[in-house]
Amino acid sequence: MKDSLDLAAAREALAAQPFSNLLGTRLVAFGKGEAVLELDIRDDLRQQNGFVHGGVLGYAADNALTFAAGSAVGARVLTSGFTIDYLRPADGTLLRAHAHVVRAGRTRVVCRCDLSTVDAEGTQTLCAVAQGTIAVRATASGGATAVPADY
């Protein structure tokens, strides 16, 4: 991966995640402290009541938060923790996770994410919100860096 992260390099990082490939996740926007992930809602991603499983929403938030942080500070990032609030059942044809950096520090980045579904008519509905802390991994010398590595 390149030193300066761009959409192409970030898509390479996403493609290297087997679970993201299994879900069919796409990175549609990346840069300047923001990232947008999308995935098609399929029946095998639903829970017993027919709504998108909360674990899928959690996955999308986690990845979007970390990619947003990576767009601001470089690829040496890992999710430290996040919280998610489910606002309404998620249903539709597309799940969109739009994350942005709230504050980027030297060792931690705080990000927020809105998770929305899009229906067949194109109507977007907010279904969950998340906030996370992303750790900037240290170099061998102990300092934080933006040197590329995997997400």
Side-chain angles (χ1 to χ4, degrees):
M1 193 180 302
K2 300 182 278 186
D3 283 346
S4 62
L5 294 176
D6 58 14
L7 180 60
R11 283 180 172 160
E12 286 178 25
L14 183 67
Q17 298 177 0
F19 189 68
S20 293
N21 290 323
L22 177 69
L23 294 181
T25 307
R26 300 175 300 277
L27 182 62
V28 298
F30 177 85
K32 298 181 181 177
E34 293 193 50
V36 179
L37 294 172
E38 293 182 346
L39 62 94
D40 297 324
I41 295 174
R42 311 181 311 253
D43 286 342
D44 61 339
L45 300 179
R46 299 177 185 273
Q47 41 88 303
Q48 72 278 7
N49 295 312
F51 302 114
V52 178
H53 193 285
V56 175
L57 295 170
Y59 150 80
D62 176 15
N63 241 10
L65 291 163
T66 305
F67 272 96
S71 76
V73 300
R76 295 189 64 85
V77 292
L78 286 172
T79 304
S80 180
F82 74 96
T83 60
I84 187 166
D85 289 300
Y86 300 100
L87 306 176
R88 65 180 45 89
D91 197 13
T93 59
L94 180 79
L95 176 65
R96 178 175 296 136
H98 181 182
H100 69 275
V101 171
V102 174
R103 181 183 184 280
R106 190 177 58 79
T107 61
R108 300 272 187 218
V109 182
V110 175
C111 299
R112 292 188 53 157
C113 181
D114 289 341
L115 295 122
S116 302
T117 55
V118 180
D119 66 17
E121 290 77 41
T123 302
Q124 187 168 298
T125 302
L126 182 67
C127 58
V129 293
Q131 180 167 307
T133 303
I134 312 305
V136 180
R137 296 189 306 169
T139 63
S141 63
T145 183
V147 175
D150 56 350
Y151 280 87

